[in-house]
Amino acid sequence: MPDKNKRTKQIIMDWVSEGVFDAFEDVISIHDTDFKVLYQNQGHKNMVSRHIGEYCYKVYQSRDNVCENCQLAIAFKDGKVHTREQVRTTDDGTFFFKITSSPLKDSTGKIIAGLEVVKDITKRKRAEKALATSSEKYRLLVDSLQEGIWALDAEEKTTFVNNRMAEMLGYTVEEMLGKKVFDFMDERGVKLCKEKVEARKAGVKEQHDFELIKKDGSVLYVLMEASPIKDEDGNYIGGMAAVIDITERKRADNEVWESRSTLKQILDTVPQSIFWKDRDSVYLGCNKVFAIATGINDPEKIIGKTDFDLPWPREEAEAYRMDDREVITTGRAKRHIVEPLQQADGSRLWIDTTKVPLEDKQGRVYGVLGVYDDITERKKTEQKLSASEEQYRILFNKNPMPMWIYDAETFYFLDVNEAAIIHYRYSRDDFLSMTIKDIRPVADVPDLLRALSNITSGPSMSGIWRHKKKNGSIITVEIFSHGITYLNRPARLVLSNDVTELKKAEYDLKKYRDYLEKLVKERTNELELQKITLEQKNIALREIIGQIELEKNKIKENILGNIEELVIPILRQAKVKGSGDKLIELIEQNLRKVTSSFGVRLSSKKLKLTPREVDVCNMVEKGITNKEMSDLLSISIQSIEGYRKNIRKKLGLANKKVNLISYLRNLR
């Protein structure tokens, strides 16, 4: 027997959680089949003191055997639950209790103990008594409640509603009396209500949400706590329900649902992957983008999984969980974790992850929220940029022209290339401790500062400046610059072109050009004077030619007249007389007379002078120069000189120091 009691007690203790029944207001005890007390909750101990291990009929009723009509004994016999009410009168008054006795069975169905629950119903009994003594007071009490009270008979017809219940549905009390409860429901509600009525007939009390249809056709959401009404024999005669209007709560719930639905849509719409985990890095949820990346596709199916269940390599899963632990342990966010991620299809991404702690209302961390961006393209761009920057760095350092970068605000050198170091003779450290003002002559600094105050952020040809090398020598440079951002600072990139020798050459060239311009101007003045002289000579020459023409015409007239007068008559006589020799001699004499002018004497003297040579002789005799004869006759000076040479030869003056002009004038 002791072993049996010990085993029974162990089974009972396995059923009862430590301290669970102590939270109940009801008085609870457990007895074995011999009616020995195995367990008392705190309420039971407070009522009758501690009696574990003692027989209940002895300690409670001072009996030597089981009480007559003991409900627990009956429960042990028929295996059913039995309920009875008990009244106790003390100096403090009369108290009412409801005692429920239930058999407890093991896994084989064998009854091994009994459970008794004693509920203090004194308040309810007193209220029922008070209400029974005054129906008016009862009605006033019911109507004063904020909850609706609704009573039905066995045929589900309304036998009673308080004003609050009628008001909630938009009816009067009189309009509701006699109507079936189904008249206030839609088809779905009727089906659900019939199921609840059957449960009520079975003695079930329950609380549930329900939808009723108001008089205006709108929906009323209620919380209904329904209980069966039975007669003295325990037969179902109707039901009673306390009804609370939860329309606003439902509306708030709907708003919460809509808010969550909207949040879900937002989470599934954003391009970032979002997930959240508990303290053990077990997934509580994620958005659609993250689910697709894992190959699971459905965000609901991610719940309960860990990183080890997902397609990433184990070492990366460990790294993710380590970040989770750090955030959860410290309670601080961890931002911009750049790390690799393997997708379900095996492709590799670069992601930028931020993780923040999830906290409850008390500020306790219960998990971690993660968000990551796919930065694969950015990574590729950064790699290309890095390679490009390296190329530009080489172009900068190896450029044969001096180049540097200076801070646009402080004017300090930030970087210089090798050509600048070689050309200016400063070391790199020298440059980096100097400003761009330090390589200018002191007198040029004010002009530099004015120029810098007006410079634009874009490309600029800053003009010609004087620079000072480390040895103090001054060079002339042409400056080109462009605004850039360098080490997160506004800066300018500068190229310096030494134009010292070029400027010197330009100066020498200008000086020579000025000299040539002076010579040209002087020669122009001389030519202007010669032009004036030539024009004057041309006027005189035209007068001489005009005079020659007059003389030629006069000679022609003389010749023609002499021929008519001296030669023609002789010829006529010769034809008549036939005396040719004498007449010819006479003609010859007369012709000498006719050609007594300069031209006739010249022709007879030279015999073989050409007409052009005759013209040249005439002009030489008049004192006209070779240049002037060249212009008048439209032939070259060399041709004039050739004619003069032939004339001297034909006149027998070759190799003789005889002035041709004087000679020709003596022929007149």
Side-chain angles (χ1 to χ4, degrees), residues 283-443:
Y283 282 94
L284 300 174
C286 68
N287 69 343
K288 186 71 173 177
V289 178
F290 183 84
I292 291 172
T294 65
I296 294 176
N297 296 327
D298 183 359
E300 294 297 326
K301 293 181 179 179
I302 199 81
I303 298 172
K305 295 186 181 297
T306 70
D307 289 301
F308 298 123
D309 301 318
L310 301 181
W312 18 92
R314 185 173 185 85
E315 60 273 14
E316 292 179 9
E318 288 285 5
Y320 302 154
R321 292 167 65 86
M322 189 177 298
D323 291 333
D324 296 343
R325 286 193 292 273
E326 181 180 342
V327 172
I328 292 170
T329 303
T330 64
R332 292 193 297 271
K334 192 170 183 180
R335 303 182 186 277
H336 301 300
I337 311 166
V338 177
E339 53 196 353
L341 176 75
Q342 179 168 303
Q343 297 199 107
D345 61 4
S347 61
R348 302 282 290 174
L349 302 178
W350 280 98
I351 59 173
D352 184 338
T353 305
T354 292
K355 292 184 177 180
V356 297
L358 292 174
E359 298 179 347
D360 59 20
K361 292 181 179 180
Q362 287 72 39
R364 295 188 294 264
V365 176
Y366 68 87
V368 61
L369 171 68
V371 180
Y372 72 74
D373 279 309
D374 180 356
I375 60 168
T376 306
E377 290 304 317
R378 193 185 83 188
K379 264 289 185 182
K380 291 179 180 178
T381 301
E382 287 175 352
Q383 290 170 353
K384 291 179 181 177
L385 180 61
S386 177
S388 176
E389 287 178 347
E390 180 60 23
Q391 291 176 345
Y392 282 113
R393 168 61 58 183
I394 293 172
L395 289 176
F396 175 78
N397 281 328
K398 301 303 180 183
N399 196 304
M401 303 288 284
M403 297 180 72
W404 56 78
I405 299 172
Y406 72 87
D407 190 304
E409 295 178 354
T410 65
F411 306 139
Y412 271 96
F413 286 96
L414 301 176
D415 201 356
V416 292
N417 72 348
E418 295 174 3
I421 294 171
I422 293 171
H423 195 71
Y424 283 78
R425 300 290 189 242
Y426 294 103
S427 68
R428 182 178 299 276
D429 290 340
D430 288 339
F431 268 115
L432 297 183
S433 66
M434 298 162 58
T435 71
I436 58 174
K437 296 183 290 184
D438 297 326
I439 61 171
R440 264 77 172 181
V442 175

Side-chain angles (χ1 to χ4, degrees), residues 480-495:
F480 300 89
S481 67
H482 197 298
I484 62 171
T485 298
Y486 186 79
L487 301 177
N488 297 321
R489 293 282 299 168
R492 292 196 74 81
L493 173 66
V494 177
L495 182 144

Side-chain angles (χ1 to χ4, degrees), residues 274-286:
I274 303 172
F275 57 88
W276 48 101
K277 308 176 186 178
D278 65 15
R279 291 184 63 89
D280 297 320
S281 291
V282 177
Y283 282 94
L284 300 174
C286 68

Side-chain angles (χ1 to χ4, degrees), residues 613-629:
E613 290 172 344
V614 172
D615 290 338
V616 171
C617 287
N618 286 328
M619 292 182 181
V620 170
E621 191 267 337
K622 295 296 185 181
I624 297 174
T625 66
N626 289 354
K627 178 65 172 62
E628 292 167 339
M629 284 189 279

Side-chain angles (χ1 to χ4, degrees), residues 562-576:
N562 289 333
I563 291 174
E564 276 295 326
E565 182 179 346
L566 300 175
V567 177
I568 295 303
I570 296 173
L571 291 175
R572 288 175 182 163
Q573 290 179 12
K575 288 181 182 180
V576 175

